[in-house]
């Protein structure tokens, strides 16, 4: 079995982290594991295992025949059986299928609500789905949508999993007081709902009790970022809310936290929640997408509706005030991850799906 993971970039993000996790996880389980990046290299390249063969396609436009040619050559030179395309990389995978029909294509939908929106992009996806052998999804909502809308016979749910990052050097030191740090691991962009989190943190008054909030994720220096920084400044929270940008030493960062928070307006299956749990953080999470399955309110964390700032404020205050609650939910979350979302469990399920694809008759 020879498999190539395909992703548009290696900047820090959920789909990108999963592409790397799959490539690494398969490296010692199948004959050949590789990863190809179509458009932009990034910080996650450091996380790739040395056993994973890597290539960069230098795709510069939507329809880029040179990039398709590079991909075809890489696939043929390495006798690849399956391309596992993550997120928006499905388009170049479909183009390859036209040029090289024997290749098997898996499309993996990580992106929650974005995939179910109407418009031009979904029309392209529906057309491209004719070339998919299987669609993999990260929650049941996406599974139902794919079964209704895409021209593919096989749609499979596969949970995400998390691993400790491979960068051993501790590069990032969080500010604030030990034992009183709240960490938010999300790129600075709209769906991640940082504005609500900042408002709730201010309203909670936690900064007056030495608690601090730490935003970890890509900062595009755009209007969204400027709004957040202006909010921090206008509310005199510069000594309590800190923005770090992308960090390669995520395990080290999370080890310095006490509470992990996710406030997104929509999610598919956030790897972030698994990373929080593996690091032993107590979690306060949005209840959208698959989040409610991982963070069961009162059991493995506290949840809230992402439009309700008062609810988030109350949950933050409750979690910070109750050390015993933090201990019980973090231990329960660790157990849940170990029993349901471990690398071993997910890799075995993935390989079984690959075997089914290869055993199926050629389209």
């Amino acid at each position: 079995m020879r498999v190539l993971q395909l992703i548009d970039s290696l900047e820090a993000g959920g789909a990108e982290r999963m592409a790397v996790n799959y490539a690494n996880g398969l490296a010692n389980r199948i004959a050949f594991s590789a990863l190809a990046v179509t458009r932009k290299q990034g910080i996650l390249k450091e996380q790739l295992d040395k056993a994973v063969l890597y290539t960069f396609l230098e795709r510069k436009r939507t329809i880029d025949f040179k990039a398709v040619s590079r991909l075809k050559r890489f696939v043929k030179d390495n006798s690849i059986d399956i391309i596992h395309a993550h997120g928006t990389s499905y388009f170049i995978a479909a183009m390859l299928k036209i040029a090289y029909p024997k290749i098997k294509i898996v499309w993996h939908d990580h992106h929650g609500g974005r995939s179910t929106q109407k418009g031009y992009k979904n029309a392209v996806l529906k057309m491209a789905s004719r070339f998919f052998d299987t669609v993999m999804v990260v929650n049941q909502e996406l599974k139902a949508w794919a079964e209704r809308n895409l021209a593919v016979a096989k749609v499979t749910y596969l949970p995400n999993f998390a691993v400790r990052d491979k960068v051993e050097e501790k590069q990032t030191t969080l500010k604030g007081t030990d034992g009183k740090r709240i960490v938010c691991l999300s790129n600075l962009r709209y769906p991640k709902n940082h504005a609500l989190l900042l408002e709730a943190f201010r309203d909670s008054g936690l900064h007056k009790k030495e608690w601090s909030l730490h935003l970890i994720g890509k900062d595009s220096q755009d209007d969204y970022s400027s709004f957040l920084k202006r909010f921090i400044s206008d509310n005199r929270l510069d000594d309590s809310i800190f923005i770090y940008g992308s960090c390669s030493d995520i395990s080290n960062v999370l080890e310095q936290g006490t509470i992990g928070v996710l406030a997104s307006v929509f999610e598919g299956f956030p790897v972030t929640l698994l990373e929080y749990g593996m690091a032993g953080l107590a979690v306060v999470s949005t209840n959208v997408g698959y989040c409610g399955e991982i963070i069961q309110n009162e059991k493995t964390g506290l949840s809230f509706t992402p439009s309700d700032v008062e609810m988030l404020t109350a949950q933050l205050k409750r979690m910070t005030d109750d050390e015993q609650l933090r201990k019980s939910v973090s231990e329960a979350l660790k157990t849940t991850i170990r029993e349901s979302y471990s690398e071993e469990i997910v890799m075995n399920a993935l390989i079984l799906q690959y075997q089914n694809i290869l055993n199926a008759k050629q389209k």
Side-chain angles (χ1 to χ4, degrees), residues 49-222:
D49 193 287
K50 292 179 180 179
V52 176
L53 190 61
Y54 172 81
T55 188
F56 178 45
L57 302 179
E58 301 180 65
R59 184 180 175 196
K60 301 185 185 305
R61 57 190 67 84
T62 301
I63 299 177
D64 189 330
F65 293 112
K66 288 185 178 180
V68 175
S69 178
R70 292 186 191 103
L71 179 58
K72 182 179 178 182
R73 184 166 60 250
F74 185 84
V75 165
K76 293 184 72 173
D77 287 349
N78 292 285
S79 303
I80 290 168
D81 305 306
I82 296 172
I83 290 183
H84 190 146
H86 299 263
T88 51
S89 70
Y90 71 81
F91 187 78
I92 192 171
M95 291 183 68
L96 176 67
K97 181 81 170 182
I98 296 171
Y100 192 57
K102 69 179 291 185
I103 194 71
K104 300 287 188 178
I105 304 294
V106 174
W107 179 55
H108 208 136
D109 186 4
H110 298 269
H111 289 125
R114 280 173 285 180
S115 295
T116 58
Q117 292 173 356
K118 298 179 181 179
Y120 167 74
K121 289 185 178 180
N122 266 351
V124 174
L125 172 58
K126 291 176 184 179
M127 179 181 66
S129 69
R130 298 177 181 274
F131 301 100
F132 302 161
D133 293 272
T134 294
V135 169
M136 292 183 182
V137 297
V138 294
N139 63 43
Q140 295 301 321
E141 177 188 359
L142 294 180
K143 186 174 187 292
W145 183 88
E147 289 172 339
R148 288 195 309 268
N149 293 279
L150 300 184
V152 62
K154 182 74 170 176
V155 181
T156 303
Y157 159 73
L158 189 72
N160 287 337
F161 68 94
V163 296
R164 291 182 63 84
D165 63 65
K166 294 182 178 297
V167 177
E168 296 181 2
E169 182 181 355
K170 296 182 177 181
Q171 301 170 334
T172 308
T173 300
L174 299 187
K175 300 173 183 177
T177 303
D178 287 346
K180 290 193 171 186
R181 297 189 184 100
I182 301 170
V183 177
C184 178
L185 180 59
S186 296
N187 291 335
L188 301 190
R189 54 188 177 86
Y190 155 69
K192 300 304 181 180
N193 207 20
H194 294 85
L196 185 94
L197 175 57
L198 265 58
E199 187 178 351
F201 182 81
R202 177 198 63 190
D203 294 350
S204 70
L206 293 176
H207 56 289
K208 298 175 183 177
K209 301 179 180 179
E210 293 189 60
W211 283 90
S212 54
L213 176 61
H214 306 261
L215 307 183
I216 314 295
K218 182 184 177 183
D219 181 356
S220 297
Q221 307 288 335
D222 54 10

Side-chain angles (χ1 to χ4, degrees), residues 192-347:
K192 300 304 181 180
N193 207 20
H194 294 85
L196 185 94
L197 175 57
L198 265 58
E199 187 178 351
F201 182 81
R202 177 198 63 190
D203 294 350
S204 70
L206 293 176
H207 56 289
K208 298 175 183 177
K209 301 179 180 179
E210 293 189 60
W211 283 90
S212 54
L213 176 61
H214 306 261
L215 307 183
I216 314 295
K218 182 184 177 183
D219 181 356
S220 297
Q221 307 288 335
D222 54 10
D223 290 343
Y224 182 89
S225 169
S226 296
F227 172 81
L228 299 180
K229 293 170 183 175
R230 188 164 57 250
F231 181 97
I232 293 168
S233 177
D234 289 348
N235 287 277
R236 299 180 181 178
L237 293 169
D238 304 81
D239 293 330
S240 301
I241 301 179
F242 308 99
I243 296 176
Y244 297 82
S246 295
C247 298
S248 61
D249 56 335
I250 294 301
S251 293
N252 168 55
V253 167
L254 296 183
E255 285 174 0
Q256 299 173 63
T258 303
I259 295 170
V261 63
L262 185 70
S264 307
V265 174
F266 61 76
E267 284 284 355
F269 186 125
V271 186
T272 295
L273 294 181
L274 303 183
E275 292 175 325
Y276 288 165
M278 288 178 63
L281 300 186
V283 175
V284 178
S285 172
T286 176
N287 59 13
V288 299
Y290 198 80
C291 298
E293 297 293 325
I294 306 170
I295 305 302
Q296 298 179 31
N297 195 43
E298 308 282 346
K299 295 180 180 179
T300 55
L302 296 179
S303 64
F304 65 93
T305 302
S307 60
D308 192 335
V309 67
E310 292 182 358
M311 188 177 184
L312 174 54
T313 302
Q315 298 292 52
L316 286 174
K317 291 176 70 174
R318 185 176 172 203
M319 191 68 90
T320 54
D321 287 344
D322 193 336
E323 184 178 355
Q324 183 56 42
L325 174 65
R326 294 200 299 272
K327 182 178 180 181
S328 65
V329 297
S330 63
E331 288 178 351
L333 180 56
K334 266 192 172 181
T335 299
T336 297
I337 293 170
R338 183 175 62 251
E339 293 178 350
S340 301
Y341 307 112
S342 71
E343 177 180 346
E344 189 70 24
I345 291 171
V346 177
M347 283 292 100

